[in-house]
Amino acid sequence: MDASATVPHAHEDAVQRIATEEVPWLPYSLIPNTFFRVLKVDEVNNIVVLNFKMPPGTVTPVHSHHCTATAYTLKGEWFYDDLCFREGDIAFETTVEVHQPITRDNEAILLTTLIGGKGNDKLLEDHNPDGTTTLLRTRLFKACERITPEAYAALDFDALLN
């Protein structure tokens, strides 16, 4: 028997289709020449699903996690020091990690999930060269969730940090 005949539309509340090709890439203000698109944010559980694109020669800020993160390499390759992640690889990162993603000769496109959990809206923390830190919370990603480049340009990005 066809399952859809016994439970019509049971998935409507539990499953959501996100057509990623309809979500525009946006310039990521914190790292020159990089792009991101926030695909889904669950504010209750502080979960963020996003794509991140780094061109060749990208050096991101050193950062740490207040969450668990996964980064699935969709295209290209990227590194933590000498640890190379190639297409199809997954980086599983816990809250104890402090690292600096970079690219070398190739670009990298990642599908990243940040999982803070209920009550933990602190997700990532950039460690700036001047000794300051920049805290990225769920609200930053929620403000960027599936928005247009025009709406993104109008955001007060700095007000969403820390």
Side-chain angles (χ1 to χ4, degrees):
M1 176 182 269
D2 181 9
S4 64
T6 58
V7 186
H9 309 291
H11 65 279
E12 287 181 3
D13 293 331
V15 176
Q16 188 176 74
R17 179 181 178 269
I18 299 166
T20 59
E21 70 276 1
E22 296 173 6
V23 182
W25 287 98
L26 305 169
Y28 186 60
S29 299
L30 297 175
I31 307 170
N33 303 314
T34 62
F35 298 87
F36 77 128
R37 56 185 180 184
V38 180
L39 305 172
K40 182 65 181 168
V41 176
D42 173 348
E43 290 180 287
V44 173
N45 297 297
N46 294 295
I47 299 171
V48 175
V49 179
L50 63 107
N51 285 133
F52 189 62
K53 186 188 304 188
M54 298 180 286
T58 297
V59 178
T60 71
V62 173
H63 73 266
S64 57
H65 293 240
H66 294 273
C67 68
T68 298
T70 60
Y72 176 76
T73 308
L74 295 168
K75 179 180 178 185
E77 65 182 21
W78 57 285
F79 299 83
Y80 288 144
D81 296 319
D82 290 329
L83 182 59
C84 179
F85 296 91
R86 293 182 177 87
E87 189 171 316
D89 288 349
I90 295 175
F92 180 82
E93 306 169 15
T94 63
T95 58
V96 298
E97 292 294 320
V98 176
H99 45 241
Q100 183 175 37
I102 66 167
T103 58
R104 294 182 181 154
D105 298 329
N106 300 300
E107 82 169 338
I109 299 176
L110 311 177
L111 175 62
T112 301
T113 303
L114 308 171
I115 305 169
K118 286 186 179 182
N120 179 27
D121 71 335
K122 297 176 185 177
L123 300 176
L124 302 172
E125 190 165 7
D126 287 348
H127 301 267
N128 304 314
D130 66 2
T132 62
T133 60
T134 303
L135 187 60
L136 287 72
R137 296 176 181 267
T138 304
R139 68 175 177 242
L140 167 71
F141 297 103
K142 184 63 178 178
C144 299
E145 183 179 14
R146 293 186 263 171
I147 66 171
T148 65
E150 295 78 18
Y152 179 72
L155 278 180
D156 184 352
F157 200 83
D158 291 336
L160 295 166
L161 298 172
N162 292 323

